[in-house]
Amino acid sequence: MSETSRTGTEVGAVLLPDEVLSHDEEAPAEGVDDASLIERSRREPEAFAEVFHRHAPEIKRYVTRRLGVDAAEDVVADTFLVAFRGREGYDPSQPSARPWLYGIATNLIRRHRRVEVRQLRVLERTGVDPVTVPFTERSDERLSAGAVRRSLAAALAGLPAGHRDVLLLVTWGGLTYPEAARSLGIPVGTVRSRVNRARSKVRRRLGGVDPTSVSEESVHE
């Protein structure tokens, strides 16, 4: 059984009622936003399975890059367990659950700070990304992928935890600044300040090259 299917089975078995296991056989809820699915899941718990199927793969990639494969399994399962149990408090004005789920995952990652730093130190030494995906295509164009990964890992390991969180939510998670702010429950200005400071430190470590650069689109909704 693959890692993805194993995680899905664990999450389905743990966080949802037994009937959710038959949800895979139903047609996906195309055209229905996450907020509507979560609202429906308050009455029909099995509806939450679609939220899992939509977002679990990218949440797993994000957590794996930060913590490695072993820790990621538990964190992803716990992320959707926490989300399912907390679905009554979901803000229905937010059609996408991505920022909410990334926020839960990031909070859980905080329990594994030592694991994360150790993972970054391994990446610094070896240049091997646990997801085997370059950090950005831009960085590979300007420096060799291995050199960028090693130097970037060292720079990320040296960042304050809160700065690393917002930087990676924006760059690895692909959240906009407002989405990152909602996911962490902090002001947008704080996100902007932390990202700018983190990027400055990374840029200095990499000799002026900034593979964490984000476009202005990330600043706005």
Side-chain angles (χ1 to χ4, degrees):
M1 184 179 294
S2 68
E3 290 173 357
T4 300
S5 61
R6 179 161 58 86
T7 301
T9 299
E10 289 173 353
V11 172
V14 173
L15 72 81
L16 295 175
D18 291 339
E19 60 265 26
V20 76
L21 297 178
S22 64
H23 183 76
D24 289 336
E25 301 174 359
E26 301 176 4
E30 297 180 1
V32 179
D33 63 25
D34 293 338
S36 298
L37 286 171
I38 293 170
E39 172 63 28
R40 187 197 307 170
S41 76
R42 296 170 182 173
R43 305 182 304 276
E44 305 169 19
E46 63 273 15
F48 198 84
E50 179 64 22
V51 178
F52 170 77
H53 291 307
R54 287 179 180 183
H55 300 290
E58 68 171 302
I59 295 294
K60 184 176 181 180
R61 284 193 296 271
Y62 172 75
V63 177
T64 300
R65 299 194 77 177
R66 296 193 63 170
L67 299 180
V69 175
D70 293 340
E73 293 286 350
D74 290 338
V75 170
V76 173
D78 287 346
T79 294
F80 285 90
L81 173 59
V82 171
F84 179 73
R85 289 176 173 173
R87 69 194 189 282
E88 293 289 343
Y90 184 78
D91 181 357
S93 70
Q94 302 300 322
S96 173
R98 287 181 73 248
W100 180 55
L101 294 170
Y102 271 106
I104 294 171
T106 299
N107 285 333
L108 292 171
I109 286 171
R110 290 171 181 164
R111 302 177 184 176
H112 301 268
R113 290 303 187 197
R114 292 183 180 179
V115 175
E116 179 178 27
V117 172
R118 185 165 64 247
Q119 178 72 21
L120 289 169
R121 294 304 185 193
V122 170
L123 179 55
E124 178 186 0
R125 292 195 304 271
T126 66
V128 178
D129 189 316
V131 188
T132 68
V133 177
F135 186 77
T136 63
E137 292 183 0
R138 182 179 308 162
S139 68
D140 282 348
E141 293 171 358
R142 300 177 66 173
L143 293 173
S144 71
V148 168
R149 291 193 190 110
R150 288 191 292 272
S151 297
L152 180 60
L156 291 175
L159 292 176
H163 291 194
R164 186 165 59 242
D165 284 342
V166 293
L167 180 66
L168 297 185
L169 281 172
V170 170
T171 54
W172 286 1
L175 300 188
T176 64
Y177 284 15
E179 286 174 339
R182 286 200 302 273
S183 72
L184 297 177
I186 60 178
V188 174
T190 300
V191 170
R192 184 178 295 108
S193 174
R194 290 180 181 179
V195 168
N196 289 340
R197 292 178 182 177
R199 287 180 57 198
S200 294
K201 292 180 179 179
V202 169
R203 187 165 50 244
R204 287 196 299 271
R205 183 65 183 257
L206 271 64
V209 176
D210 183 11
T212 69
S213 178
V214 293
S215 68
E216 288 303 313
E217 294 176 357
S218 295
V219 181
H220 306 289
E221 295 260 27

